[in-house]
Amino acid sequence: MSRGLTVAGRRLELVRGDITTQALDAIANAANAALRGGGGVDGAIHTAAGPGVLDELRSRYPSGTPTGTAVATAAGRLKARWLIHAVGPVWTGGTHGEEALLAAAYRSSLAAADRLGARSLALPAISLGIYRFPLRAGARIALDAVLHHFGGETSLELVRFVLYSDETLSAFSVALDELAPPA
Ligand code: AR6
């Protein structure tokens, strides 16, 4: 199952898969604020990309990066030019600005892709795993950020959400139907 939508000549896609196999200009990672690797998609990306990515993060971002922001590195052995390490919030009940921070993490990723001149970007479901952000709300925030970004100036022609489970893909698909009902 996969889904897509074209907005102002730009393509938004939802697919199920492993983001480390994507051959797009940039791949985003769901990192932590220390930028020192971890589990989930972060662990998979570092394992597939090789140790050079962690070396670059250590030397260029010794203090990490705050929640809601993103930084870029080379992509090591991945079939992409750049990695964009985005830091989403840990869900702690919804009263600590989690929704705004998740939107900011996506906005920062999209802005970083534009600064690099990327034409295509793969995004994971930031915060929807170990950080326990609620699935439906998180999917809606993710899609809303991309659709909003497509309404402005951007180098991006394709943004592909690469979702690891049927449940996550289905939540994104429902959210896309709500935000942009099929014709
Ligand atoms: N490809 C695509 N999506 C994946 C992959 C993959 N290879 N592996 C997991 N996912 P998570 P978070 C999905 O936990 O919630 C790390 O330790 C996963 O099923 O990776 O933002 C970091 O270092 C889920 O839908 O990220 C941080 O400490 C989504 O990716 C913390 O976890 C995000 O789940 C970040 O937690």
Side-chain angles (χ1 to χ4, degrees):
M1 185 170 99
S2 70
R3 269 215 53 192
L5 178 73
T6 302
V7 181
R10 295 167 182 133
R11 187 86 187 142
L12 169 63
E13 291 180 357
L14 309 181
V15 302
R16 186 179 181 285
D18 176 352
I19 203 167
T20 65
T21 66
Q22 291 291 309
L24 297 185
D25 288 350
I27 294 175
N29 178 20
N32 55 64
L35 296 175
R36 292 298 173 272
V41 71
D42 196 10
I45 283 175
H46 279 285
T47 300
V53 172
L54 210 48
D55 292 344
E56 184 178 348
L57 285 169
R58 279 209 183 89
S59 72
R60 290 182 61 197
Y61 309 102
S63 313
T65 194
T67 301
T69 69
V71 303
T73 64
R77 297 192 294 249
L78 296 178
K79 286 178 268 173
R81 288 184 67 184
W82 303 288
L83 273 171
I84 295 172
H85 306 266
V87 184
V90 179
W91 179 263
T92 52
T95 54
H96 297 84
E98 292 96 324
E99 296 202 345
L101 286 167
L102 184 59
Y106 281 109
R107 274 201 308 275
S108 303
S109 304
L110 294 159
D114 276 344
R115 281 196 299 278
L116 296 164
R119 289 192 302 176
S120 56
L121 169 68
L123 282 168
I126 300 171
S127 285
L128 302 196
I130 291 164
Y131 281 178
R132 302 182 314 272
F133 201 102
L135 198 50
R136 287 286 294 275
R140 196 180 171 94
I141 289 167
L143 293 169
D144 194 48
V146 174
L147 293 175
H148 190 263
H149 194 77
F150 278 177
E153 273 294 306
T154 176
S155 62
L156 288 166
E157 295 163 5
L158 167 65
V159 173
R160 177 181 295 154
F161 282 95
V162 181
L163 305 162
Y164 210 47
S165 67
D166 285 334
E167 189 192 9
T168 312
L169 176 57
S170 161
F172 272 71
S173 199
V174 169
L176 188 57
D177 284 346
E178 285 168 5
L179 287 167

